[in-house]
Amino acid sequence: MNLLIVENNFLLKENFFFQSDLKINLVFSTSVKSVKKILNKKKFDFIIISSLAINLNSFHVITNIFKTKPKDKIIQILERSNDIKHSFSSYYLQKPFMFNKLLLILNKTKKKLNNCRIFNYFQNI
């Protein structure tokens, strides 16, 4: 699973290394400018977006990065105040959130992807 985390706090990145048993290729970015470059070069299963600065909440970060984007890829992490769910987000979590909730989202979707691949394989036989 390829995962991009857009946030200025490295705590979320550390949680993936210490608590996740998923096999994840993790890319971490703290800048809107670098995220745009990364997205042009690589495909991701999920993009987790949080705020990057005091004046830039997750809603604004998504707006600044994407013109159009599939809803099924973005997991938005909302700040406690002054942040709302973006229409591009398929999932959202309110800070402070339990890391296990995020893992449940990733696990659930991973199982769906695997089931679809198996189904497509048997259809092609």
Side-chain angles (χ1 to χ4, degrees):
M1 177 181 288
N2 291 324
L3 186 65
L4 172 63
I5 297 176
V6 183
E7 182 167 34
N8 60 357
N9 186 338
F10 289 94
L11 187 60
L12 186 58
K13 181 180 180 180
E14 290 173 10
N15 276 327
F16 273 102
F17 287 118
F18 294 121
Q19 295 184 23
S20 173
D21 61 348
L22 297 172
K23 293 180 181 173
I24 296 176
N25 298 319
L26 188 65
V27 176
F28 191 87
S29 179
T30 59
S31 135
V32 169
K33 191 176 183 180
S34 68
V35 169
K36 288 179 180 181
K37 290 178 185 176
I38 292 168
L39 288 172
N40 286 331
K41 295 178 183 176
K42 192 171 182 177
K43 299 281 184 196
F44 293 94
D45 297 305
F46 282 103
I47 303 163
I48 299 172
I49 298 178
S50 186
S51 62
L52 291 178
I54 295 169
N55 296 326
L56 198 59
N57 62 29
S58 65
F59 185 92
H60 294 115
V61 173
I62 293 169
T63 302
N64 284 319
I65 293 173
F66 304 106
K67 300 284 186 241
T68 59
K69 199 69 186 170
K71 286 181 69 170
D72 60 345
K73 290 191 176 211
I74 298 176
I75 301 171
Q76 184 179 359
I77 299 177
L78 301 173
E79 296 296 319
R80 287 184 221 153
S81 61
N82 198 24
D83 203 357
I84 57 174
K85 183 183 180 299
H86 198 286
S87 63
F88 289 173
S89 301
S90 56
Y91 300 97
Y92 68 95
L93 298 166
Q94 182 84 30
K95 278 187 179 179
F97 67 91
M98 299 293 289
F99 186 72
N100 288 342
K101 287 185 179 183
L102 179 57
L103 291 178
L104 282 173
I105 293 170
L106 297 174
N107 255 335
K108 182 174 80 172
T109 309
K110 182 181 177 188
K111 286 178 185 176
K112 280 184 185 177
L113 288 173
N114 285 338
N115 289 340
C116 287
R117 287 184 188 131
I118 291 168
F119 178 73
N120 288 335
Y121 172 79
F122 285 113
Q123 277 191 323
N124 292 329
I125 293 179

